[in-house]
Amino acid sequence: MITLAKIQSSEELMKYISNMDSDNSVVQFTIPGKGKFTLVLQEEDEQTIKFEAENNPELKRMLKESQEQYEEGLGMSTKELLKSLSNKDFM
């Protein structure tokens, strides 16, 4: 089950990212002032991602949505996300 976390600082966001692994590969969170995000850890082994997505319909749906948004130019890298945040976003 994927929970929706409310992130209050960039340090908290980095904590979530640091704790991601193959068993904890999807994090949904909100940032006040920015909106709702879904962060998916993509391992280098494409077969693993495909296998996990085929066995998890929600993950498959989120990956498809993410790819569609990326193709439409709506995605951003983690670096871009962190650069776009300021202290006022967490107040």
Side-chain angles (χ1 to χ4, degrees), residues 22-78:
S22 59
D23 293 326
N24 182 28
S25 61
V26 180
V27 175
Q28 287 187 326
F29 57 93
T30 61
I31 297 177
K34 288 290 181 181
K36 180 180 173 184
F37 297 85
T38 301
L39 184 62
V40 179
L41 174 65
Q42 295 181 334
E43 296 181 25
E44 293 184 30
D45 182 3
E46 290 295 320
Q47 287 293 75
T48 300
I49 295 169
K50 183 177 180 180
F51 176 79
E52 288 182 21
E54 292 299 324
N55 290 305
N56 183 335
E58 187 173 353
L59 177 59
K60 185 175 183 176
R61 178 192 59 77
M62 289 189 302
L63 288 171
K64 183 179 180 203
E65 284 179 11
S66 176
Q67 187 168 359
E68 289 170 354
Q69 291 173 358
Y70 175 79
E71 290 169 359
E72 293 173 14
L74 300 174
M76 68 171 55
S77 69
T78 303

Short mmCIF file of all heavy atoms in Angstrom, two decimals, residues 22-78:
data_model
loop_
_atom_site.label_atom_id
_atom_site.label_comp_id
_atom_site.label_asym_id
_atom_site.label_seq_id
_atom_site.Cartn_x
_atom_site.Cartn_y
_atom_site.Cartn_z
N SER A 22 14.16 -1.41 -3.41
CA SER A 22 13.29 -2.21 -4.28
C SER A 22 11.98 -2.60 -3.59
O SER A 22 10.97 -2.80 -4.26
CB SER A 22 14.02 -3.47 -4.76
OG SER A 22 14.43 -4.25 -3.67
N ASP A 23 11.97 -2.71 -2.27
CA ASP A 23 10.74 -3.03 -1.55
C ASP A 23 9.90 -1.79 -1.26
O ASP A 23 8.71 -1.88 -1.03
CB ASP A 23 11.06 -3.73 -0.22
CG ASP A 23 11.67 -5.10 -0.44
OD1 ASP A 23 11.28 -5.77 -1.43
OD2 ASP A 23 12.52 -5.50 0.37
N ASN A 24 10.52 -0.65 -1.25
CA ASN A 24 9.87 0.63 -0.96
C ASN A 24 10.20 1.57 -2.13
O ASN A 24 10.97 2.51 -1.97
CB ASN A 24 10.41 1.17 0.38
CG ASN A 24 9.76 2.47 0.77
OD1 ASN A 24 8.63 2.75 0.41
ND2 ASN A 24 10.49 3.29 1.52
N SER A 25 9.62 1.28 -3.31
CA SER A 25 10.04 1.97 -4.53
C SER A 25 9.11 3.08 -5.00
O SER A 25 9.41 3.75 -5.97
CB SER A 25 10.22 0.95 -5.65
OG SER A 25 9.00 0.29 -5.92
N VAL A 26 7.99 3.29 -4.31
CA VAL A 26 7.05 4.33 -4.71
C VAL A 26 6.67 5.16 -3.49
O VAL A 26 6.30 4.62 -2.46
CB VAL A 26 5.77 3.74 -5.34
CG1 VAL A 26 4.80 4.84 -5.75
CG2 VAL A 26 6.11 2.86 -6.53
N VAL A 27 6.78 6.48 -3.62
CA VAL A 27 6.37 7.38 -2.55
C VAL A 27 5.46 8.44 -3.16
O VAL A 27 5.80 9.05 -4.17
CB VAL A 27 7.59 8.08 -1.90
CG1 VAL A 27 7.16 9.11 -0.89
CG2 VAL A 27 8.53 7.08 -1.27
N GLN A 28 4.29 8.60 -2.57
CA GLN A 28 3.41 9.70 -2.97
C GLN A 28 3.45 10.72 -1.85
O GLN A 28 3.39 10.36 -0.67
CB GLN A 28 1.99 9.21 -3.19
CG GLN A 28 1.83 8.39 -4.45
CD GLN A 28 0.38 8.05 -4.73
OE1 GLN A 28 -0.41 7.85 -3.81
NE2 GLN A 28 0.02 7.99 -6.00
N PHE A 29 3.55 11.99 -2.23
CA PHE A 29 3.63 13.02 -1.21
C PHE A 29 3.05 14.33 -1.73
O PHE A 29 2.91 14.52 -2.93
CB PHE A 29 5.08 13.22 -0.73
CG PHE A 29 6.05 13.56 -1.83
CD1 PHE A 29 6.34 14.89 -2.13
CD2 PHE A 29 6.68 12.57 -2.55
CE1 PHE A 29 7.25 15.20 -3.12
CE2 PHE A 29 7.58 12.87 -3.55
CZ PHE A 29 7.87 14.20 -3.84
N THR A 30 2.70 15.19 -0.80
CA THR A 30 2.26 16.53 -1.14
C THR A 30 3.24 17.53 -0.56
O THR A 30 3.83 17.29 0.49
CB THR A 30 0.84 16.85 -0.60
OG1 THR A 30 0.87 16.76 0.82
CG2 THR A 30 -0.19 15.90 -1.16
N ILE A 31 3.39 18.62 -1.26
CA ILE A 31 4.18 19.75 -0.77
C ILE A 31 3.25 20.94 -0.80
O ILE A 31 2.76 21.31 -1.88
CB ILE A 31 5.42 19.99 -1.62
CG1 ILE A 31 6.36 18.78 -1.55
CG2 ILE A 31 6.13 21.27 -1.18
CD1 ILE A 31 7.59 18.89 -2.42
N PRO A 32 2.98 21.53 0.37
CA PRO A 32 2.10 22.70 0.39
C PRO A 32 2.64 23.77 -0.56
O PRO A 32 3.83 24.03 -0.60
CB PRO A 32 2.18 23.16 1.85
CG PRO A 32 2.58 21.94 2.62
CD PRO A 32 3.47 21.17 1.69
N GLY A 33 1.79 24.32 -1.35
CA GLY A 33 2.20 25.36 -2.29
C GLY A 33 2.65 24.81 -3.63
O GLY A 33 2.88 25.58 -4.56
N LYS A 34 2.83 23.49 -3.75
CA LYS A 34 3.29 22.89 -5.01
C LYS A 34 2.29 21.88 -5.55
O LYS A 34 1.98 21.88 -6.72
CB LYS A 34 4.65 22.20 -4.84
CG LYS A 34 5.80 23.15 -4.68
CD LYS A 34 6.08 23.87 -5.97
CE LYS A 34 7.26 24.81 -5.80
NZ LYS A 34 7.56 25.56 -7.01
N GLY A 35 1.82 20.95 -4.70
CA GLY A 35 0.88 19.94 -5.16
C GLY A 35 1.27 18.54 -4.76
O GLY A 35 2.07 18.32 -3.87
N LYS A 36 0.68 17.57 -5.47
CA LYS A 36 0.86 16.14 -5.18
C LYS A 36 1.89 15.56 -6.15
O LYS A 36 1.87 15.85 -7.34
CB LYS A 36 -0.48 15.42 -5.35
CG LYS A 36 -0.43 13.94 -5.08
CD LYS A 36 -1.82 13.32 -5.27
CE LYS A 36 -1.77 11.82 -5.18
NZ LYS A 36 -3.07 11.22 -5.45
N PHE A 37 2.77 14.71 -5.62
CA PHE A 37 3.83 14.10 -6.41
C PHE A 37 3.84 12.59 -6.19
O PHE A 37 3.48 12.11 -5.12
CB PHE A 37 5.21 14.63 -6.00
CG PHE A 37 5.38 16.11 -6.24
CD1 PHE A 37 4.95 17.02 -5.29
CD2 PHE A 37 5.96 16.56 -7.40
CE1 PHE A 37 5.11 18.38 -5.51
CE2 PHE A 37 6.11 17.92 -7.63
CZ PHE A 37 5.68 18.83 -6.68
N THR A 38 4.28 11.87 -7.19
CA THR A 38 4.55 10.44 -7.08
C THR A 38 5.99 10.24 -7.52
O THR A 38 6.35 10.59 -8.64
CB THR A 38 3.61 9.60 -7.96
OG1 THR A 38 2.26 9.85 -7.58
CG2 THR A 38 3.91 8.12 -7.82
N LEU A 39 6.79 9.69 -6.63
CA LEU A 39 8.20 9.45 -6.91
C LEU A 39 8.39 7.94 -7.02
O LEU A 39 8.01 7.19 -6.12
CB LEU A 39 9.05 10.02 -5.78
CG LEU A 39 10.56 9.96 -5.93
CD1 LEU A 39 11.01 10.76 -7.15
CD2 LEU A 39 11.22 10.51 -4.69
N VAL A 40 8.95 7.49 -8.16
CA VAL A 40 9.15 6.07 -8.41
C VAL A 40 10.64 5.80 -8.57
O VAL A 40 11.30 6.40 -9.42
CB VAL A 40 8.40 5.61 -9.69
CG1 VAL A 40 8.64 4.13 -9.95
CG2 VAL A 40 6.92 5.91 -9.59
N LEU A 41 11.17 4.91 -7.74
CA LEU A 41 12.55 4.49 -7.86
C LEU A 41 12.63 3.50 -9.01
O LEU A 41 11.97 2.46 -8.99
CB LEU A 41 13.02 3.82 -6.57
CG LEU A 41 14.41 3.19 -6.60
CD1 LEU A 41 15.47 4.27 -6.79
CD2 LEU A 41 14.67 2.42 -5.34
N GLN A 42 13.40 3.82 -10.02
CA GLN A 42 13.54 2.95 -11.17
C GLN A 42 14.91 2.31 -11.14
O GLN A 42 15.92 2.99 -11.29
CB GLN A 42 13.33 3.72 -12.47
CG GLN A 42 11.92 4.27 -12.59
CD GLN A 42 11.69 5.01 -13.89
OE1 GLN A 42 12.62 5.54 -14.49
NE2 GLN A 42 10.45 5.05 -14.34
N GLU A 43 14.93 1.02 -10.94
CA GLU A 43 16.18 0.29 -10.91
C GLU A 43 16.76 0.20 -12.31
O GLU A 43 16.05 0.35 -13.30
CB GLU A 43 15.95 -1.10 -10.33
CG GLU A 43 15.49 -1.06 -8.89
CD GLU A 43 15.29 -2.45 -8.32
OE1 GLU A 43 15.91 -3.40 -8.81
OE2 GLU A 43 14.50 -2.55 -7.38
N GLU A 44 18.03 -0.07 -12.38
CA GLU A 44 18.69 -0.14 -13.68
C GLU A 44 18.26 -1.35 -14.49
O GLU A 44 18.33 -1.35 -15.70
CB GLU A 44 20.20 -0.13 -13.48
CG GLU A 44 20.69 1.20 -12.95
CD GLU A 44 22.19 1.26 -12.84
OE1 GLU A 44 22.87 0.58 -13.63
OE2 GLU A 44 22.67 1.97 -11.97
N ASP A 45 17.81 -2.39 -13.84
CA ASP A 45 17.39 -3.61 -14.52
C ASP A 45 15.97 -3.44 -15.03
O ASP A 45 15.01 -3.52 -14.28
CB ASP A 45 17.48 -4.81 -13.56
CG ASP A 45 17.10 -6.12 -14.20
OD1 ASP A 45 16.81 -6.13 -15.42
OD2 ASP A 45 17.09 -7.13 -13.49
N GLU A 46 15.82 -3.21 -16.33
CA GLU A 46 14.50 -2.98 -16.92
C GLU A 46 13.56 -4.16 -16.71
O GLU A 46 12.37 -4.00 -16.55
CB GLU A 46 14.62 -2.66 -18.41
CG GLU A 46 15.23 -1.30 -18.70
CD GLU A 46 14.36 -0.15 -18.22
OE1 GLU A 46 13.13 -0.22 -18.36
OE2 GLU A 46 14.92 0.82 -17.71
N GLN A 47 14.09 -5.39 -16.73
CA GLN A 47 13.25 -6.56 -16.53
C GLN A 47 12.61 -6.53 -15.15
O GLN A 47 11.47 -6.92 -14.99
CB GLN A 47 14.07 -7.85 -16.71
CG GLN A 47 14.43 -8.13 -18.15
CD GLN A 47 13.21 -8.46 -18.98
OE1 GLN A 47 12.42 -7.59 -19.33
NE2 GLN A 47 13.04 -9.70 -19.33
N THR A 48 13.33 -6.08 -14.14
CA THR A 48 12.79 -6.01 -12.78
C THR A 48 11.62 -5.04 -12.74
O THR A 48 10.59 -5.33 -12.16
CB THR A 48 13.88 -5.58 -11.78
OG1 THR A 48 14.93 -6.53 -11.82
CG2 THR A 48 13.33 -5.50 -10.37
N ILE A 49 11.77 -3.88 -13.36
CA ILE A 49 10.70 -2.89 -13.38
C ILE A 49 9.48 -3.47 -14.09
O ILE A 49 8.35 -3.36 -13.60
CB ILE A 49 11.16 -1.59 -14.07
CG1 ILE A 49 12.27 -0.93 -13.25
CG2 ILE A 49 9.99 -0.63 -14.27
CD1 ILE A 49 12.96 0.21 -13.97
N LYS A 50 9.71 -4.09 -15.23
CA LYS A 50 8.60 -4.67 -15.98
C LYS A 50 7.91 -5.75 -15.16
O LYS A 50 6.67 -5.80 -15.08
CB LYS A 50 9.10 -5.24 -17.30
CG LYS A 50 8.00 -5.80 -18.17
CD LYS A 50 8.53 -6.29 -19.50
CE LYS A 50 7.40 -6.83 -20.34
NZ LYS A 50 7.85 -7.32 -21.63
N PHE A 51 8.69 -6.62 -14.52
CA PHE A 51 8.13 -7.69 -13.70
C PHE A 51 7.30 -7.12 -12.56
O PHE A 51 6.17 -7.56 -12.32
CB PHE A 51 9.26 -8.58 -13.16
CG PHE A 51 8.77 -9.66 -12.24
CD1 PHE A 51 8.20 -10.82 -12.75
CD2 PHE A 51 8.89 -9.52 -10.87
CE1 PHE A 51 7.75 -11.82 -11.91
CE2 PHE A 51 8.43 -10.52 -10.02
CZ PHE A 51 7.86 -11.67 -10.53
N GLU A 52 7.85 -6.13 -11.85
CA GLU A 52 7.12 -5.53 -10.73
C GLU A 52 5.84 -4.85 -11.19
O GLU A 52 4.81 -4.94 -10.54
CB GLU A 52 8.02 -4.55 -9.97
CG GLU A 52 9.11 -5.23 -9.17
CD GLU A 52 9.96 -4.28 -8.38
OE1 GLU A 52 9.51 -3.14 -8.11
OE2 GLU A 52 11.07 -4.67 -8.01
N ALA A 53 5.90 -4.15 -12.31
CA ALA A 53 4.72 -3.45 -12.82
C ALA A 53 3.64 -4.44 -13.25
O ALA A 53 2.45 -4.20 -13.02
CB ALA A 53 5.10 -2.54 -13.98
N GLU A 54 4.04 -5.54 -13.86
CA GLU A 54 3.06 -6.55 -14.29
C GLU A 54 2.37 -7.19 -13.08
O GLU A 54 1.23 -7.62 -13.18
CB GLU A 54 3.73 -7.62 -15.14
CG GLU A 54 4.21 -7.12 -16.50
CD GLU A 54 3.09 -6.59 -17.38
OE1 GLU A 54 1.98 -7.13 -17.34
OE2 GLU A 54 3.34 -5.60 -18.10
N ASN A 55 3.06 -7.26 -11.96
CA ASN A 55 2.50 -7.88 -10.76
C ASN A 55 1.85 -6.89 -9.81
O ASN A 55 1.32 -7.29 -8.78
CB ASN A 55 3.59 -8.67 -10.03
CG ASN A 55 4.00 -9.89 -10.81
OD1 ASN A 55 3.16 -10.72 -11.14
ND2 ASN A 55 5.26 -9.99 -11.12
N ASN A 56 1.89 -5.60 -10.14
CA ASN A 56 1.29 -4.58 -9.29
C ASN A 56 0.53 -3.60 -10.18
O ASN A 56 1.13 -2.67 -10.72
CB ASN A 56 2.39 -3.87 -8.49
CG ASN A 56 1.84 -2.86 -7.52
OD1 ASN A 56 0.75 -2.32 -7.70
ND2 ASN A 56 2.61 -2.57 -6.48
N PRO A 57 -0.78 -3.79 -10.34
CA PRO A 57 -1.56 -2.93 -11.24
C PRO A 57 -1.46 -1.44 -10.91
O PRO A 57 -1.42 -0.60 -11.81
CB PRO A 57 -3.00 -3.43 -11.06
CG PRO A 57 -2.87 -4.80 -10.51
CD PRO A 57 -1.59 -4.83 -9.71
N GLU A 58 -1.39 -1.10 -9.63
CA GLU A 58 -1.29 0.32 -9.27
C GLU A 58 0.05 0.90 -9.71
O GLU A 58 0.12 2.01 -10.24
CB GLU A 58 -1.47 0.50 -7.76
CG GLU A 58 -1.54 1.96 -7.36
CD GLU A 58 -1.89 2.18 -5.90
OE1 GLU A 58 -2.23 1.21 -5.19
OE2 GLU A 58 -1.83 3.34 -5.48
N LEU A 59 1.12 0.15 -9.52
CA LEU A 59 2.44 0.59 -9.98
C LEU A 59 2.46 0.72 -11.49
O LEU A 59 2.98 1.70 -12.04
CB LEU A 59 3.53 -0.38 -9.50
CG LEU A 59 4.95 -0.08 -9.97
CD1 LEU A 59 5.39 1.30 -9.50
CD2 LEU A 59 5.91 -1.14 -9.46
N LYS A 60 1.86 -0.24 -12.18
CA LYS A 60 1.78 -0.18 -13.65
C LYS A 60 1.05 1.08 -14.10
O LYS A 60 1.50 1.77 -15.02
CB LYS A 60 1.08 -1.43 -14.18
CG LYS A 60 1.07 -1.53 -15.68
CD LYS A 60 0.46 -2.85 -16.13
CE LYS A 60 0.52 -2.99 -17.63
NZ LYS A 60 0.03 -4.30 -18.07
N ARG A 61 -0.05 1.40 -13.45
CA ARG A 61 -0.82 2.60 -13.79
C ARG A 61 0.00 3.86 -13.55
O ARG A 61 0.06 4.76 -14.39
CB ARG A 61 -2.10 2.65 -12.96
CG ARG A 61 -2.95 3.91 -13.21
CD ARG A 61 -4.06 4.08 -12.18
NE ARG A 61 -3.60 4.18 -10.82
CZ ARG A 61 -3.05 5.28 -10.27
NH1 ARG A 61 -2.88 6.36 -11.00
NH2 ARG A 61 -2.66 5.29 -9.02
N MET A 62 0.68 3.92 -12.39
CA MET A 62 1.48 5.11 -12.08
C MET A 62 2.65 5.28 -13.04
O MET A 62 2.96 6.39 -13.46
CB MET A 62 1.97 5.05 -10.63
CG MET A 62 0.86 5.26 -9.63
SD MET A 62 1.39 5.44 -7.92
CE MET A 62 2.28 3.95 -7.62
N LEU A 63 3.31 4.18 -13.42
CA LEU A 63 4.40 4.26 -14.38
C LEU A 63 3.91 4.74 -15.74
O LEU A 63 4.55 5.56 -16.40
CB LEU A 63 5.10 2.90 -14.52
CG LEU A 63 5.96 2.47 -13.34
CD1 LEU A 63 6.39 1.02 -13.50
CD2 LEU A 63 7.16 3.37 -13.17
N LYS A 64 2.73 4.25 -16.15
CA LYS A 64 2.15 4.67 -17.42
C LYS A 64 1.83 6.17 -17.39
O LYS A 64 2.15 6.91 -18.32
CB LYS A 64 0.89 3.86 -17.74
CG LYS A 64 0.27 4.20 -19.07
CD LYS A 64 -0.96 3.38 -19.36
CE LYS A 64 -1.51 3.79 -20.71
NZ LYS A 64 -2.89 3.49 -20.88
N GLU A 65 1.21 6.61 -16.31
CA GLU A 65 0.89 8.04 -16.16
C GLU A 65 2.16 8.88 -16.17
O GLU A 65 2.23 9.93 -16.81
CB GLU A 65 0.14 8.30 -14.85
CG GLU A 65 -1.30 7.91 -14.87
CD GLU A 65 -1.99 8.17 -13.53
OE1 GLU A 65 -1.39 8.85 -12.66
OE2 GLU A 65 -3.11 7.69 -13.35
N SER A 66 3.17 8.41 -15.46
CA SER A 66 4.44 9.12 -15.40
C SER A 66 5.08 9.24 -16.77
O SER A 66 5.56 10.31 -17.16
CB SER A 66 5.38 8.39 -14.42
OG SER A 66 6.64 9.01 -14.40
N GLN A 67 5.07 8.15 -17.53
CA GLN A 67 5.65 8.17 -18.87
C GLN A 67 4.88 9.11 -19.79
O GLN A 67 5.47 9.87 -20.55
CB GLN A 67 5.69 6.76 -19.45
CG GLN A 67 6.43 6.71 -20.77
CD GLN A 67 6.73 5.30 -21.21
OE1 GLN A 67 6.41 4.33 -20.53
NE2 GLN A 67 7.36 5.17 -22.35
N GLU A 68 3.55 9.08 -19.71
CA GLU A 68 2.73 9.97 -20.54
C GLU A 68 3.02 11.43 -20.20
O GLU A 68 3.15 12.27 -21.10
CB GLU A 68 1.25 9.66 -20.33
CG GLU A 68 0.81 8.35 -20.93
CD GLU A 68 -0.60 7.93 -20.52
OE1 GLU A 68 -1.22 8.60 -19.67
OE2 GLU A 68 -1.07 6.90 -21.04
N GLN A 69 3.12 11.74 -18.91
CA GLN A 69 3.40 13.11 -18.50
C GLN A 69 4.79 13.54 -18.94
O GLN A 69 4.99 14.67 -19.38
CB GLN A 69 3.23 13.25 -16.99
CG GLN A 69 1.79 13.14 -16.55
CD GLN A 69 1.61 13.11 -15.05
OE1 GLN A 69 2.58 13.14 -14.29
NE2 GLN A 69 0.37 13.03 -14.61
N TYR A 70 5.76 12.62 -18.85
CA TYR A 70 7.11 12.94 -19.31
C TYR A 70 7.11 13.24 -20.81
O TYR A 70 7.72 14.22 -21.24
CB TYR A 70 8.06 11.76 -19.00
CG TYR A 70 9.45 11.97 -19.54
CD1 TYR A 70 10.35 12.79 -18.87
CD2 TYR A 70 9.85 11.34 -20.71
CE1 TYR A 70 11.63 12.98 -19.37
CE2 TYR A 70 11.13 11.53 -21.21
CZ TYR A 70 12.02 12.35 -20.54
OH TYR A 70 13.28 12.55 -21.03
N GLU A 71 6.40 12.43 -21.58
CA GLU A 71 6.33 12.62 -23.03
C GLU A 71 5.65 13.94 -23.38
O GLU A 71 5.94 14.53 -24.42
CB GLU A 71 5.63 11.44 -23.69
CG GLU A 71 6.47 10.17 -23.66
CD GLU A 71 5.71 8.92 -24.07
OE1 GLU A 71 4.50 9.01 -24.37
OE2 GLU A 71 6.35 7.85 -24.09
N GLU A 72 4.75 14.41 -22.52
CA GLU A 72 4.06 15.67 -22.74
C GLU A 72 4.86 16.85 -22.20
O GLU A 72 4.42 18.00 -22.25
CB GLU A 72 2.69 15.64 -22.06
CG GLU A 72 1.72 14.66 -22.70
CD GLU A 72 0.43 14.52 -21.91
OE1 GLU A 72 0.16 15.36 -21.03
OE2 GLU A 72 -0.31 13.56 -22.18
N GLY A 73 6.05 16.58 -21.66
CA GLY A 73 6.90 17.65 -21.13
C GLY A 73 6.49 18.12 -19.75
O GLY A 73 6.87 19.20 -19.32
N LEU A 74 5.69 17.31 -19.04
CA LEU A 74 5.19 17.71 -17.73
C LEU A 74 6.05 17.21 -16.57
O LEU A 74 5.80 17.54 -15.42
CB LEU A 74 3.74 17.22 -17.54
CG LEU A 74 2.74 17.73 -18.57
CD1 LEU A 74 1.40 17.06 -18.38
CD2 LEU A 74 2.62 19.24 -18.47
N GLY A 75 7.05 16.39 -16.87
CA GLY A 75 7.88 15.81 -15.81
C GLY A 75 9.05 16.71 -15.46
O GLY A 75 9.37 17.66 -16.17
N MET A 76 9.66 16.39 -14.34
CA MET A 76 10.89 17.09 -13.95
C MET A 76 11.76 16.13 -13.16
O MET A 76 11.27 15.19 -12.55
CB MET A 76 10.59 18.35 -13.13
CG MET A 76 10.01 18.11 -11.74
SD MET A 76 9.89 19.57 -10.67
CE MET A 76 8.97 20.71 -11.62
N SER A 77 13.05 16.38 -13.19
CA SER A 77 13.97 15.53 -12.45
C SER A 77 13.91 15.90 -10.98
O SER A 77 13.40 16.95 -10.59
CB SER A 77 15.40 15.73 -12.98
OG SER A 77 15.86 17.03 -12.64
N THR A 78 14.47 15.03 -10.15
CA THR A 78 14.53 15.32 -8.72
C THR A 78 15.31 16.60 -8.49
O THR A 78 14.94 17.44 -7.66
CB THR A 78 15.17 14.15 -7.95
OG1 THR A 78 14.43 12.96 -8.22
CG2 THR A 78 15.19 14.40 -6.46
#
